């Protein structure tokens, strides 16, 4: 937060795990969720924050990855570190900030980065590729739909992303951060977009939406093999115990928002986690 505050970002608190501005999603899954409307209305950011650039540590619930929980990197509850801009800075600046934070501030080595190879609707992200090359990153990989991010819920901002990977203590690559360039508004869900049932409209401003998983970052910084060996969990535990630890943590955070177990919606997710 201090790194980005010192670079002209306003610190904003985490929003609730229950999104206030988007009835189409059950839980906050990303740092950008509370800012969804600002990508299409930057004047509102000035009015609400006095700034176009903000930074947060956001609590998130992501059950889409629940089957991966217990491996080295996935959780249903995690904290997402992010910097966001609603027309306040360029692609280059966003990539330089991320590079400087990882390489100069944390003294980590970047293993490789990715960029979007394009599709019938969206151009190849040559600009990101060029910027990473100029910065001196050698391993730059072109990837497909995995590196086009969003929208969350029924509609919203979305765009190509560039991901940053670092190695854990076992030499495995861990995606620790992604920078989404919210250049488009999608009038349907991601599922509809994939099926050709939704369309993309170019936004007037370049939106920046970054997401760096605290638990993964700590794994790399503390030179551990997985998130459970960090001081956020602090234990050598079996795979089953990892799943229990994750689900208890997620359930507690959901209960702290006033949700109770039930057979529908959020309550159903909570019941299944328990
Ligand atoms: N920054 C997009 C994400 O939440 O992964």
């Amino acid at each position: 937060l201090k790194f980005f505050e010192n670079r002209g970002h306003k610190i904003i608190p985490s929003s609730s795990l229950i999104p206030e501005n988007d009835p189409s999603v059950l839980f906050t899954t990303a740092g950008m969720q509370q800012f969804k409307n600002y990508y299409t209305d930057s004047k509102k950011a000035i009015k609400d924050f006095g700034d176009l650039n903000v930074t947060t540590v956001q609590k998130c619930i992501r059950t889409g990855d629940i089957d991966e929980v217990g491996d080295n990197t996935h959780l249903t509850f995690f904290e997402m570190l992010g910097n966001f801009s609603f027309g306040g800075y360029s692609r280059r600046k966003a990539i330089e900030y991320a590079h400087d934070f990882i390489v100069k501030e944390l003294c980590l080595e970047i293993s490789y980065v990715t960029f979007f190879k394009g599709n019938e609707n969206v151009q190849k992200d040559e600009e990101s590729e060029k910027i990473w090359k100029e910065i001196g990153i050698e391993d730059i990989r072109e990837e497909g739909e995995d590196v086009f991010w969003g929208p969350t819920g029924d509609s919203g901002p979305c765009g190509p992303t560039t991901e940053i990977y670092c190695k854990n203590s076992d030499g495995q690559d861990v995606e620790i951060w992604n920078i989404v360039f919210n250049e488009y508004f999608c009038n349907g869900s991601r599922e509809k977009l994939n099926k050709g049932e939704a369309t993309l409209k170019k936004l007037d401003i370049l939106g920046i939406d970054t997401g760096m998983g605290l638990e993964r970052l700590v794994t790399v910084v503390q030179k551990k093999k997985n998130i459970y060996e960090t001081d956020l969990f602090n234990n050598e535990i079996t795979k089953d115990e990892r799943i229990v630890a994750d689900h208890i943590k997620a359930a507690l955070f959901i209960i702290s928002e006033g949700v109770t177990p039930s057979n529908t919606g959020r309550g159903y997710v909570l019941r299944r986690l328990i």
Side-chain angles (χ1 to χ4, degrees):
L1 293 176
K2 282 273 172 248
F3 179 90
F4 282 101
E5 187 181 45
N6 290 339
R7 287 157 185 79
H9 293 65
K10 182 97 182 275
I11 299 174
I12 306 293
S14 171
S15 69
S16 160
L17 278 174
I18 300 170
E20 281 163 23
N21 60 353
D22 187 357
S24 69
V25 289
L26 287 178
F27 291 107
T28 297
T29 57
M32 65 82 71
Q33 188 74 43
Q34 67 164 318
F35 302 124
K36 246 178 125 166
N37 298 332
Y38 298 102
Y39 291 100
T40 44
D41 186 359
S42 56
K43 286 200 198 89
K44 194 164 149 39
I46 296 288
K47 186 166 154 276
D48 291 357
F49 310 130
D51 215 312
L52 289 174
N53 310 323
V54 298
T55 183
T56 61
V57 178
Q58 175 67 49
K59 41 188 177 175
C60 296
I61 291 280
R62 251 185 217 184
T63 52
D65 294 329
I66 197 160
D67 289 337
E68 321 296 331
V69 172
D71 71 359
N72 288 342
T73 54
H74 287 90
L75 293 163
T76 54
F77 173 85
F78 61 93
E79 292 174 76
M80 182 87 98
L81 314 176
N83 54 296
F84 307 87
S85 178
F86 317 108
Y89 51 88
S90 63
R91 232 178 187 77
R92 178 173 294 275
K93 202 80 220 161
I95 292 177
E96 282 174 358
Y97 281 148
H99 175 264
D100 286 357
F101 182 72
I102 293 177
V103 174
K104 297 185 186 161
E105 192 80 7
L106 299 181
C107 302
L108 296 172
E109 201 177 312
I110 293 177
S111 173
Y112 73 92
V113 299
T114 63
F115 69 96
F116 186 51
K117 71 177 182 188
N119 61 23
E120 63 275 16
N121 300 314
V122 178
Q123 277 185 347
K124 175 170 163 172
D125 187 4
E126 284 172 344
E127 196 183 340
S128 293
E129 183 187 17
K130 180 165 172 276
I131 295 165
W132 282 119
K133 253 189 210 150
E134 284 169 8
I135 285 178
I137 300 297
E138 284 170 9
D139 193 346
I140 305 171
R141 305 184 188 180
E142 179 179 290
E143 287 194 3
E145 297 307 311
D146 260 10
V147 292
F148 187 91
W149 201 89
T152 61
D154 276 355
S155 63
C158 56
T161 157
T162 177
E163 304 165 321
I164 301 168
Y165 288 76
C166 291
K167 288 202 184 296
N168 68 9
S169 64
D170 255 2
Q172 284 167 336
D173 288 311
V174 178
E175 181 201 343
I176 59 162
W177 203 351
N178 75 22
I179 307 167
V180 182
F181 303 108
N182 274 330
E183 295 174 288
Y184 298 94
F185 184 88
C186 180
N187 62 3
S189 64
R190 178 57 185 258
E191 206 184 355
K192 285 197 170 153
L193 182 65
N194 289 347
K195 286 198 267 179
E197 292 168 9
T199 51
L200 296 177
K201 186 168 167 277
K202 192 93 178 159
L203 288 169
D204 295 336
I205 51 165
L206 173 68
I208 304 292
D209 153 27
T210 88
M212 174 161 50
L214 174 68
E215 297 79 358
R216 291 187 184 187
L217 180 68
V218 173
T219 302
V220 175
V221 169
Q222 295 182 349
K223 303 195 179 356
K224 304 289 184 191
K225 289 196 288 291
N226 63 66
I227 44 192
Y228 302 94
E229 289 178 2
T230 68
D231 60 3
L232 291 162
F233 286 89
N234 210 8
N235 235 326
E236 280 282 356
I237 48 180
T238 65
K239 182 158 186 266
D240 288 347
E241 288 166 344
R242 288 179 179 188
I243 296 172
V244 173
D246 166 79
H247 289 12
I248 288 174
K249 191 170 178 184
L252 284 173
F253 271 91
I254 293 172
I255 291 166
S256 79
E257 304 282 359
V259 177
T260 50
S262 73
N263 58 0
T264 55
R266 295 182 183 103
Y268 177 73
V269 175
L270 174 59
R271 189 166 70 102
R272 290 302 304 267
L273 282 166
I274 294 170

